[in-house]
Amino acid sequence: MEVSTLSKALAAVARCRGDIAGAFRMSLARWGEGSPATLLLRAAITTGALGDDHAFAAMIAGVPTQSIIAAIDRISPWRRAAPNVPVLCESAPPQASWRNEGQVIAVSSADFETVRVNADKSIAGILVFTVEAGRELGDAFMGQLSNDAGGAINYAESDALLNPANDGTGTAPASLTHDAIKVQSTGSTAEAIRNDLATLLAQFGGDMSRAVWAVSSRTATQLALHGAALGSADVNVTGGFLAGLPLCAARGVPDSVLALIDPSGIVLFDGGAQFATSEQSMLTMPDGSVRSLWDENLGALRFIRVLDWQAGRAGCVAAITGIQWAT
C-alpha cells in the first residue's frame, strides 16, 4: 500500500508523542529537507496542525471510499469561491455573439445571482488508537487510520450534499437536492427507470455538456444489473456512464436519490482538512463519560474539514427521488 505524505507526517508525530517540532526533526533526518512530509511538518510547527490542501487531496484520492465532491470535480469542476467573497453566477449560461469590427461588444449575460458562502461549518471527528500501534506500526498504520478518517469525511460530505431531507437548518449546508427539480421514482423495472430518466432530462435546466450523475455505490450496482436495458448504461461501483453522461458513485449518497448536477452552477468552498494528534487530552465519549488518553496509553487523531456550497443557478440540479429499487 502506498503511504501518503500526510500519513508519513502523522506517523512521525505519533512517534514523537504529539510533538510536531520533534516530528519535523525526525522527518528531516529520515527523509531529508526536501521531502514533502518534512515540508508539511515544517509548516505545521506554526499552525499546530497538519493542514496542507495538496497533501489532503492526495490522501483523499487514495481512500477506498471515494469523495463524491472530488470525483465530480475531476470530471466537471465546481465554481470555486472563498469565504464571504461574493460570487456572481449567471442565471443562464453566458453567450457570445458575432459582430463587425468596431461595433459595441454586448454583455455576455445581463442576469446575475450573487452568491456568498460563509464557510462556517465543518466536518470533524476524533479517532482513538493505541500508542504502541502508532509508534511501532508507523507509516502503514497511520495510512490505515487516515483512510478511516478520509472515509468518515467522505461519507458525511456525500450525505449532506445530496440528501433531500437536509434543509440547511442543522449543522451542514443545505443539500443540493433539497430545492432541486424532483422527479418521483415510478418503479423498479428498466422501462420505469428509463421513463424517469427521460422525465428528469427534459426538466433539467443546467448545461448538459457539463452535467454529471451522482448516486450511491449501491444504486450504481443496481443500474449496472439493468445494463443495456436502460438504453445506454456502463456503470460500476465507483462510476461510469448513464444515458451518455458521466456518473460518479460513492458511499454516503442516499440510495433513494439519483441526481444530475451541473457543477458550473454550484458555488463551492473546500478548505481542505487539518489533522492533529494528541496523547494527553481528555476525551468526552458519546455516552458522556470522560477518558484520559495519558492514563490509558492511547492516542487520538483529530480531523476537521471546512466545506460549504450553494446553488447559484436555478435548474442546475435535478434528482429522481423516492427510489426503492436500490435497497
Side-chain angles (χ1 to χ4, degrees):
M1 179 184 69
E2 183 178 353
V3 179
S4 70
T5 296
L6 185 58
S7 298
K8 288 182 178 180
L10 286 170
V13 174
R15 288 194 181 101
C16 294
R17 304 183 68 87
D19 179 5
I20 293 178
F24 166 71
R25 291 190 293 272
M26 174 187 288
S27 179
L28 188 63
R30 184 177 180 185
W31 296 306
E33 186 174 0
S35 163
T38 302
L39 297 174
L40 186 60
L41 286 162
R42 185 196 297 274
I45 292 175
T46 302
T47 63
L50 300 168
D52 180 86
D53 290 351
H54 297 294
F56 173 69
M59 187 208 81
I60 285 294
V63 173
T65 53
Q66 72 171 342
S67 160
I68 195 70
I69 287 177
I72 292 173
D73 192 57
R74 286 192 292 269
I75 297 171
S76 184
W78 306 92
R79 188 178 294 270
R80 298 284 177 162
N84 298 310
V85 175
V87 175
L88 293 181
C89 286
E90 301 89 351
S91 300
Q95 296 181 347
S97 56
W98 288 93
R99 70 185 185 100
N100 291 320
E101 192 62 33
Q103 283 186 318
V104 173
I105 300 175
V107 177
S108 299
S109 178
D111 192 4
F112 300 94
E113 182 76 20
T114 302
V115 177
R116 189 191 304 266
V117 291
N118 297 321
D120 57 354
K121 299 180 179 181
S122 63
I123 300 169
I126 295 174
L127 298 178
V128 181
F129 57 93
T130 65
V131 170
E132 289 90 341
R135 292 178 188 165
E136 300 301 325
L137 302 181
D139 301 352
F141 173 77
M142 295 309 291
Q144 295 167 0
L145 201 64
S146 60
N147 276 350
D148 290 343
I153 290 171
N154 293 346
Y155 185 95
E157 79 173 35
S158 298
D159 181 69
L161 186 75
L162 294 167
N163 190 335
N166 172 23
D167 60 3
T169 58
T171 55
S175 166
L176 296 181
T177 58
H178 179 68
D179 290 325
I181 298 166
K182 295 185 182 70
V183 175
Q184 182 68 24
S185 174
T186 59
S188 59
T189 65
E191 181 180 7
I193 296 172
R194 282 200 312 271
N195 290 338
D196 291 343
L197 290 172
T199 301
L200 180 144
L201 290 169
Q203 296 184 27
F204 181 65
D207 184 343
M208 200 71 76
S209 68
R210 298 185 179 186
V212 181
W213 298 106
V215 299
S216 72
S217 299
R218 185 184 296 273
T219 302
T221 59
Q222 293 300 311
L223 290 170
L225 288 175
H226 285 288
L230 294 179
S232 175
D234 181 12
V235 181
N236 59 49
V237 72
T238 59
F241 287 86
L242 176 64
L245 297 170
L247 179 145
C248 295
R251 174 176 170 268
V253 177
D255 294 334
S256 60
V257 173
L258 193 162
L260 185 62
I261 304 168
D262 171 7
S264 70
I266 307 298
V267 179
L268 175 98
F269 171 72
D270 183 351
Q274 289 192 338
F275 293 80
T277 63
S278 174
E279 296 178 11
Q280 302 180 31
S281 300
M282 303 292 290
L283 296 185
T284 301
M285 309 306 289
D287 62 2
S289 62
V290 178
R291 300 176 64 173
S292 167
L293 295 178
W294 181 264
D295 289 346
E296 299 187 46
N297 203 33
L298 297 174
L301 172 65
R302 183 197 69 197
F303 54 90
I304 301 172
R305 185 183 187 194
V306 179
L307 272 174
D308 201 358
W309 56 74
Q310 186 177 332
R313 185 183 303 144
C316 64
V317 181
I320 298 175
T321 60
I323 292 172
Q324 296 183 0
W325 43 261
T327 56

